[in-house]
Structures are given as structure tokens and as C-alpha cells.
Amino acid sequence: SSYDATPGTWSEQQARVNRQFFQKPSKLLERLIGVPILFLVNAFSQLPPIGILYALLWYKSREEAEGEHVSQRSSSAVAGIRQMTLRPSLDKSREEAEGEHFFDSWNEVISWLCDPRRIPFFIGIRLARAFFTPFFYMFAAIIVKKVVIGKFEAGPRSNSDWERLRYWLAAALFPRKRLQKCTELMGRHYEGVSVLYRLLGSKVGKRVFWPGSQPVTDGTFDLLEIGDDAVFGSRSALICTTVDHAEKIIICAGGNVSDNCVVMAGSVIGKNAVLGSNSICPEGTYLPSGSVWFGSNGSRPTCLNPGDNSDAEYYQPLNEECSTDGVPQHASNTVDPRALVMDGDDSTLRPFGKAFYKGDATYSVLSLKSIVLFTIANRTFQVLFHLLPLWLAIQLGAVVLYTDHFFKEAWRNSFFFTVKEFDGYADDEGVTHDQFLWWTRVYDNQGHWHSFIQVYCAVVMCFILTHALRVLFWLVIELSAKWLYMGRRKPGRYNYDTSDYAQRWELYQLTAKIRKLSRLNLLQFITGTPMMNLYIRLNGGDVGKDCCLYPSGADPFMPEPDLVKIGDGCAVDCASIVCHLNTRGNFELAKITIEDKCTLRTRSRLQQGVVMETGSQLLEKSLAMTGEIIGARSVWQGGPASSWFRYKAEEVADYQPPSVTKTKTEVEMKNMVD
């Protein structure tokens, strides 16, 4: 973070690995080749919904050709509204009105949208975008990678314009969100994800546990090698390139990359080695077999466990200045290939692989087929759930505008709508009536013509109602799923082979995606408000008075709220409060306590078992280690976090930060004590 860097300067090493400094292709090559390729790939991915839209328009044109929209008596639900919207004015004959185009007015547009025969098309377009578009995109992107980009090789990067285009295009084609859309449909943690990475050029072993949120990559999948039984945490980054080099990232059998890690080019994570949450593996570093590393202190992780020394004869340490806490780091380019164990054995087998792939568990483990079927059914329901508000708003808007039988007194004399009178039409039996939606009513000889503003306002007002109902049912569904699948969480160990907790949590997380609304999240509309506090409480959390939670959003929102206690007057910005730990596949839960008037700033993170005492603060991008106690009125920073300074008790209520210039050092800050 900026707390670790010298103000106003970039070191050469920092600049080499910062993607903002990577050279881009020339604007000419980017616009003549790169942008058109991206456009074609995106256009190809939209073929399924476009095909259904074409079928819908073809269906409309066939209706027009057959003259069904006026001349024939229809049994559809919109026959009456078609009569009303096509009803001629006083100076038009009926024959002239019938000869007009179908979309001569907004009334006719509403009529067309309300036809129940079009509902399957509307649903089909949404389902095609949800299920087929991600795979069509990935298919086209893989073809481009094979044919245009080619295979990436380790070594110095050429400075030619074409080489810069290859790297730029690979990064643009394979952002994390594109991978995520595919992996969510094929099972987020399972073998299907490994197959996808192999198609992209990576070497991936067996029984890999993939994260719920896929890692960020730079598109150079050919430089990624993953051994058997590897474990990944969410929201990490695997960057195989620097400004001038491209090097492999190798994760040996049983290697563990936890949440929010950054693994840089040339890094090698040894057999059963662990890179803890919010940690960095610097460029060209080897983490020995069985070692445990944590955080980022001066762009280097801190060694918590030097490992089992089973591979000590195969590598050489770096110079002393690259050591942390007296434990030297090791250069990956000095490691003998014999140390790179990619095949798993009993020591690398994790509870996940043991239960899911070997069937050795104390409960009934759902198969991959069952999980994919559940995902498809769940996603289908969510598509329909989020389609209904708009569709119902259009239907209700049409009822408001064109249904005198129900809304005569409410709308007839209002200042907003002007209603013109027209001659009614009689059916074949001579009965004057109209038909709309699923009701047939006696028509009261009053027709309706409305402007765009009137139609728009009516639909928007109805949408406010239907959206409110969506929010209400979202809460009911998500909260019901939480208490049905999870119940009230309790501290303890819940390994995949001895407890069905992880399986139930996966089903709950899939169901909870109902809160996702296109690119937004329904929780984003209540962040920082008392409604967010209420939501946490409804999920079992203990939140005090006058708290401000996630005013800038969160990624993720508190995953285990029923194990978190938050006191009065606390402020939690876009921070992570995570009560679980999944080291080497051993899944544990522990409580987190945040006392009164505590502050968690942007991108800070609390691990399980942390206690923040009254008035304490955790600064940006800082990480409190498992079981840490952050003292009252203290300010902590770093990864792992350490006490920076403490302020006086009387300053808790109206504390003002000390005046710090850009040249003030961390040592001077630590001297600011009571």
C-alpha cells in the first residue's frame, strides 16, 4: 500500500511488475486489429439471444402478413387492447386505421409487448444470455487465442508492436468476469474449471479446489502450471508477465494460494506450501516445501513456518537483504526441477479431494452432475425472478392506461390523462365489449389514446411497485435459504470429508446469487444505511447502534455474519470480515469481535478470531492475523498488521488524525504514543 512506499517515487522493481507500466500496442494496430477482434468475439457471443429476437420479429411479421392484428377475431389476451389502440379518430375511417402499420403509436407497442404469446420469446432471450452467451464467448476467444495470439513462451518479451498486441489482446479477451460466468455454470470448484484452464493452455493437475471468485490473470495461461490437490482462495491474482519478461508460475502439488493474494511472474510455490490471505509472492521467488508465508512487508511476505526441509538440497537462498525475520527467501531460478513435485500423494490429498473425487466422506456428497443441475435450475429461477418486475410493470401499465372497467374513477378526471371518446365495436354476436389480458369485459364505449410521456410514466410507476415486491421476495428467499441450508453457524472445524457444511454453504451461495441484478447487487442499494445493519441482524449478526457498514460496498459482504459481533458506533468501509480459514483444505470457523467505536478502512481484512478493542482502527490494505488482539485506541497498519500508534482516551469521541507530512517516516509515527 501507499503506507509502505516512499512518497512520490516508484522503485524500478515496483515499476517492472506494475501492469500500468506495461507497453501497449500502437493505436493504429489496436484499432485496426485488436478492437475489431474484440467486437467480433462479443458479437458472436450474442448470437443465441439475437437468434431468439429474430424469431420474435419474424413471428410479428408473419402476423402482419396474415392480417391477424386487426381483421381476425383473436382468442389472445390482447385482442381488446388492439381494438382500442387501433381505434380510429373521429376523422378516420375504420378501413384507414386497419391499413396503418402495426407500430404507429406507443399504444400499439404496449399492445404488442403485452401479448402472452411473446412471453416465451422474452424468457428465451434472457435464458440464452445467461446460459449460452458465456460459452459462445469463451469458444470464440479460445479460437482467437489459438489462431491469432498463439502460445506464450517464458523468456524476454519482444518490444515489437505485434508482440505488444498479443499480450494486450490476451488480457482483454480473458478478464476475470468472463471466466467467472463460465465457471459458475459448470461448478465453481470442480473439474470443469480445470478443463477450461487446460483449453486455455495451462497445465492443471487433478483434484484442484478452485475458488468461488476466479483469480485475475493477464491472459498468459500457457505460463501457468498447477499440480494435483492445489487449493485456491478467492480474488487472487496470477500475473505471469513483467514489463520486459514473461515467466512461468508453478504451484506444486498441495500448494495453497489463499484469498486476495498476488503471485508474480517466475514464482514457484512448493509442495504443500501455503501463501496466506492478503499475501504477495514476489517475482522469481520459491516458497519451499511445507512452508507458510503471510502478508506483504516491504513487498515481501513474512515467513511463519520455514517448511519441512524435504527439498532443501534443491535450491539456494537469495541474498540476505531479501530475508524476512531472519528467514531468507529463495530464487525460483535456482531450484532443481526435482524439487517441483506436481503429482499428488497421501501428504497432498486434501479433505475436498478425498470427499468429492474419492467418495471417502461421512455423509452423502453431491455429484458434479447434481451440482450442475442445481445450478441450472437455480439460474433459470433467478432469470425469471428478475424478468417479472419489468414484464409485470408493462402489463399493469397497460391495465392502468387501457382498462376503464377497473380504473375509471381513478383516472377519468385526473389532470394527467386525456381520454378521447370513440365509437365502440360489436363482436359477431352484436355485443359491445373489449378484451385485455385475461379478462373479457363489457366495453363502455370509451377509447384511449396516450402519448409517450403518459405511457412511460404509467409503466415507471408500476415498475416502482413491482420492484418493491422483488426486493421483498428477494429478502424472503435469501433469508429462508440461509436459515434452511446453514442454520446458525457455530465455531469449529468443518472439513469437507467429515462435515456437509461446505456443501450446504455452496448451495446457499448459489441461491444467494438471486441478489445479483445485472452488474449490480441489491445489497449495494442499502450499503451504509440502517437497512444494511438490519440485513446483517436478520442473518444472525450482532450489530450495535449507530454503525455504518459498507458505505462504499464490499467484496465480499460479511460471509458469516452470525459469528461476528459489532459494537456501537463502528465504521466498516469496503473491508473483509472473514470468520473462516481454509488452510490446506482444513476448514475452520471462529468468532470475530469488534467493540465500540472501531474503524475498518478500505481493503482492510480481519481474519477469524480477531478482537478489536474499543476505539481501535485498522488502516487501508492492512491484515489482522488470526487470533490477533488489536488494543484499545490503537491504530494498526501493514500485512500482517502491527501497532502504529495509540491516541489518548479522551480523544476517542472526537479524534483528529495527527498532521503527517509526506516525509514523515513510520518510525516517527510509532513515536506518537501516550
Side-chain angles (χ1 to χ4, degrees):
S1 73
S2 58
Y3 293 110
D4 302 318
T6 303
T9 65
W10 281 94
S11 71
E12 181 180 351
Q13 184 64 18
Q14 289 170 329
R16 287 187 68 256
V17 297
N18 191 306
R19 284 178 289 170
Q20 298 301 320
F21 289 89
F22 289 7
Q23 289 188 330
K24 296 181 179 180
S26 65
K27 291 295 183 182
L28 179 63
L29 200 62
E30 179 182 326
R31 293 173 181 175
L32 288 181
I33 299 179
V35 173
I37 287 176
L38 293 177
F39 173 79
L40 290 174
V41 171
N42 279 283
F44 182 80
S45 71
Q46 298 301 322
L47 286 181
I50 289 175
I52 297 175
L53 178 61
Y54 176 81
L56 173 61
L57 297 177
W58 175 84
Y59 185 71
K60 168 186 174 294
S61 64
R62 190 185 68 172
E63 284 183 335
E64 290 181 346
E66 295 176 357
E68 292 179 359
H69 65 289
V70 171
S71 60
Q72 298 182 4
R73 180 185 177 186
S74 174
S75 60
S76 75
V78 293
I81 195 172
R82 286 175 178 168
Q83 290 178 347
M84 289 189 284
T85 56
L86 289 175
R87 190 162 289 114
S89 59
L90 295 177
D91 59 347
K92 286 186 179 181
S93 68
R94 180 175 180 179
E95 288 73 17
E96 289 174 335
E98 289 178 353
E100 293 177 350
H101 193 270
F102 188 66
F103 285 161
D104 280 341
S105 70
W106 284 101
N107 302 340
E108 297 170 18
V109 174
I110 294 294
S111 168
W112 188 73
L113 291 174
C114 288
D115 192 333
R117 291 174 296 179
R118 312 201 198 284
I119 295 175
F121 294 100
F122 300 151
I123 295 175
I125 290 172
R126 292 293 188 95
L127 291 177
R129 290 184 64 185
F131 289 109
F132 297 106
T133 292
F135 293 108
F136 270 63
Y137 178 93
M138 198 55 61
F139 173 79
I142 291 174
I143 294 298
V144 170
K145 184 183 182 307
K146 301 291 185 183
V147 175
V148 179
I149 298 176
K151 184 177 181 180
F152 292 100
E153 300 286 349
R157 289 180 57 174
S158 170
N159 198 35
S160 69
D161 208 17
W162 175 253
E163 282 298 298
R164 295 201 299 268
L165 177 69
R166 290 177 65 226
Y167 284 96
W168 174 86
L169 187 57
L173 279 175
F174 302 105
R176 183 180 71 86
K177 289 184 178 180
R178 291 291 186 178
L179 292 172
Q180 189 74 24
K181 289 181 178 180
C182 285
T183 59
E184 286 182 349
L185 294 173
M186 61 178 63
R188 303 185 301 170
H189 307 300
Y190 310 103
E191 181 64 22
V193 182
S194 299
V195 172
L196 175 60
Y197 273 75
R198 293 183 191 119
L199 289 173
L200 293 170
S202 301
K203 296 180 180 179
V204 182
K206 299 175 291 185
R207 302 182 298 275
V208 174
F209 180 85
W210 292 99
S213 296
Q214 289 299 305
V216 174
T217 69
D218 54 5
T220 56
F221 294 96
D222 306 289
L223 302 176
L224 182 60
E225 296 185 12
I226 302 170
D228 297 345
D229 302 307
V231 176
F232 287 93
S234 297
R235 302 168 188 85
S236 290
L238 306 175
I239 309 300
C240 299
T241 55
T242 66
V243 169
D244 51 14
H245 268 75
E247 300 293 343
K248 288 185 177 182
I249 289 178
I250 301 176
I251 301 173
C252 296
N256 192 154
V257 178
S258 303
D259 294 350
N260 296 318
C261 290
V262 178
V263 183
M264 294 185 175
S267 298
V268 177
I269 298 177
K271 178 182 177 182
N272 290 328
V274 176
L275 187 64
S277 299
N278 282 41
S279 301
I280 184 171
C281 188
E283 179 188 1
T285 299
Y286 174 63
L287 307 186
S289 175
S291 60
V292 179
W293 302 77
F294 199 81
S296 175
N297 186 359
S299 299
R300 297 189 183 95
T302 298
C303 183
L304 302 182
N305 186 335
D308 53 25
N309 293 321
S310 61
D311 54 352
E313 60 181 299
Y314 299 125
Y315 60 80
Q316 299 175 6
L318 292 175
N319 53 45
E320 287 300 321
E321 65 181 21
C322 293
S323 65
T324 57
D325 294 344
V327 179
Q329 294 183 13
H330 314 287
S332 60
N333 58 7
T334 66
V335 178
D336 191 305
R338 290 175 294 174
L340 307 182
V341 179
M342 307 303 288
D343 296 328
D345 54 28
D346 290 341
S347 68
T348 66
L349 183 62
R350 304 301 179 218
F352 167 76
K354 183 179 178 182
F356 191 82
Y357 292 104
K358 293 186 175 295
D360 186 5
T362 58
Y363 63 97
S364 179
V365 180
L366 291 176
S367 66
L368 179 58
K369 183 184 296 185
S370 300
I371 292 171
V372 171
L373 289 175
F374 180 85
T375 301
I376 293 173
N378 185 65
R379 180 63 63 86
T380 301
F381 173 78
Q382 291 173 5
V383 167
L384 296 176
F385 180 81
H386 289 298
L387 173 64
L388 277 176
L390 180 58
W391 181 78
L392 286 176
I394 295 173
Q395 299 283 348
L396 292 175
V399 171
V400 169
L401 294 171
Y402 303 110
T403 311
D404 242 20
H405 185 72
F406 294 105
F407 296 91
K408 178 177 180 180
E409 296 301 323
W411 297 97
R412 175 68 61 193
N413 300 318
S414 70
F415 68 94
F416 192 77
F417 294 103
T418 301
V419 180
K420 297 181 179 180
E421 296 186 4
F422 302 95
D423 294 330
Y425 297 121
D427 61 13
D428 296 339
E429 288 77 25
V431 178
T432 302
H433 71 284
D434 67 348
Q435 183 176 344
F436 178 64
L437 294 177
W438 291 273
W439 299 283
T440 300
R441 308 173 308 279
V442 175
Y443 183 60
D444 65 359
N445 210 33
Q446 299 293 331
H448 302 75
W449 291 87
H450 299 298
S451 68
F452 165 75
I453 297 297
Q454 293 169 332
V455 172
Y456 175 78
C457 290
V459 173
V460 167
M461 286 186 290
C462 292
F463 181 75
I464 292 173
L465 172 63
T466 56
H467 177 66
L469 292 174
R470 165 167 55 187
V471 173
L472 176 62
F473 282 110
W474 152 61
L475 282 172
V476 170
I477 293 170
E478 181 169 337
L479 292 174
S480 298
K482 190 274 176 191
W483 292 106
L484 175 65
Y485 288 128
M486 308 307 302
R488 183 172 292 278
R489 296 177 177 90
K490 297 179 180 179
R493 174 168 287 195
Y494 299 92
N495 285 353
Y496 214 110
D497 59 338
T498 58
S499 171
D500 64 349
Y501 176 91
Q503 184 169 273
R504 289 186 285 113
W505 193 27
E506 177 67 10
L507 297 179
Y508 165 66
Q509 287 180 301
L510 291 173
T511 305
K513 288 186 179 295
I514 195 170
R515 71 172 72 137
K516 188 176 181 181
L517 182 61
S518 186
R519 296 180 179 88
L520 299 175
N521 187 316
L522 288 173
L523 287 177
Q524 291 177 277
F525 295 96
I526 62 173
T527 55
T529 71
M531 297 301 295
M532 174 57 74
N533 302 351
L534 176 61
Y535 172 80
I536 298 296
R537 294 187 188 108
L538 291 174
N539 277 278
D542 185 353
V543 181
K545 298 181 295 182
D546 302 324
C547 290
C548 181
L549 303 181
Y550 304 123
S552 303
D555 185 23
F557 289 93
M558 206 178 297
E560 297 97 3
D562 33 8
L563 293 177
V564 178
K565 181 178 180 180
I566 302 177
D568 298 340
C570 293
V572 178
D573 203 353
C574 186
S576 299
I577 303 175
V578 180
C579 297
H580 68 265
L581 197 64
N582 188 26
T583 303
R584 296 184 178 132
N586 295 305
F587 194 93
E588 295 183 68
L589 294 176
K591 291 184 177 181
I592 290 177
T593 301
I594 304 173
E595 297 181 357
D596 298 344
K597 295 183 174 62
C598 292
T599 301
L600 286 166
R601 298 176 75 167
T602 301
R603 298 299 174 189
S604 58
R605 180 184 177 98
L606 295 184
Q607 295 281 86
Q608 61 168 211
V610 170
V611 175
M612 290 187 70
E613 296 182 346
T614 301
S616 57
Q617 297 187 40
L618 191 62
L619 298 184
E620 290 86 351
K621 294 188 176 180
S622 298
L623 171 64
M625 292 180 62
T626 300
E628 191 77 73
I629 298 177
I630 300 178
R633 310 186 316 279
S634 62
V635 177
W636 289 49
Q637 188 276 328
S642 59
S643 180
W644 214 11
F645 65 94
R646 184 186 300 269
Y647 50 90
K648 298 177 181 179
E650 57 268 21
E651 297 176 325
V652 173
D654 54 353
Y655 171 70
Q656 297 294 326
S659 176
V660 182
T661 64
K662 289 185 177 181
T663 59
K664 182 97 47 184
T665 65
E666 181 177 342
V667 175
E668 292 173 309
M669 291 296 295
K670 287 183 176 179
N671 290 331
M672 299 180 64
V673 296
D674 292 344

